Amino acid sequence: MTHAFATAALTLAIAAALSIAPGTASANYQTSTGSACIAYGSTTTPGELRYLVNGITPLNATDEYILCDFVTDSENGWYNAANSATLQMFFKAGNVEAAVTCTATAGSAYMSGVLTYSGAHTIPATLGGTLTLSGMTAPGSYSWVPFNVVCKLPAKATLARMTLNELGPV
């Protein structure tokens, strides 16, 4: 009986300690490979893209368009600088410099509207580069806002990975 009592007392002590521990606010990082993106628009088909273990790249020497969807799961809406989102997209250029343009869309025409954020970055030849879109907020301060990004991926460039950082408590 003494062993059972000691086990029960220890279990209760641990539960009590965990219940009074303060909750901490932290950023919520979601990382994805570029190969999670799909062909986008009327000019790009899936057959024009090469899906790699570590990214996505045009198969031919032409610029292609891709769509990358994200699942948002912040418990707080993206409504100000402290509770906003930052997207980082990591690219690698081929043997020539590559100009990347991307437009992120937060929201939906079927809810409280749409906000868009655009950016461009030139990646030096044979090097990597990062396109960052920061300070993104969502219409209506929804915590479950639809979010995606469309990029014009230049020939010989690879989208290796993406990181969506939802700021604020999670």
Side-chain angles (χ1 to χ4, degrees):
M1 192 60 139
T2 327
H3 179 67
F5 179 74
T7 302
L10 181 59
T11 302
L12 287 173
I14 292 172
L18 291 176
S19 69
I20 61 172
T24 58
S26 63
N28 179 18
Y29 289 95
Q30 299 174 42
T31 300
S32 176
T33 176
S35 60
C37 301
I38 60 172
Y40 179 77
S42 60
T43 59
T44 300
T45 64
E48 294 171 308
L49 298 168
R50 176 177 293 152
Y51 292 89
L52 308 167
V53 170
N54 57 354
I56 187 171
T57 188
L59 184 59
N60 303 311
T62 57
D63 295 347
E64 303 297 346
Y65 290 87
I66 58 172
L67 169 72
C68 309
D69 247 343
F70 293 86
V71 175
T72 59
D73 64 358
S74 178
E75 291 176 354
N76 294 318
W78 306 351
Y79 52 86
N80 60 23
N83 288 350
S84 62
T86 297
L87 175 67
Q88 290 184 306
M89 302 185 80
F90 302 91
F91 295 92
K92 175 140 178 34
N95 54 4
V96 295
E97 74 176 28
V100 176
T101 57
C102 296
T103 300
T105 302
S108 165
Y110 300 105
M111 43 189 262
S112 291
V114 175
L115 295 174
T116 58
Y117 302 88
S118 296
H121 183 71
T122 299
I123 309 160
T126 70
L127 297 175
T130 304
L131 173 67
T132 302
L133 302 173
S134 58
M136 295 184 295
T137 58
S141 299
Y142 287 104
S143 59
W144 41 267
V145 64
F147 181 76
N148 63 54
V149 62
V150 172
C151 292
K152 179 181 177 186
L153 187 60
K156 308 294 182 191
T158 300
L159 170 57
R161 70 181 166 94
M162 307 164 288
T163 301
L164 179 64
N165 178 9
E166 295 175 291
L167 302 174
V170 293

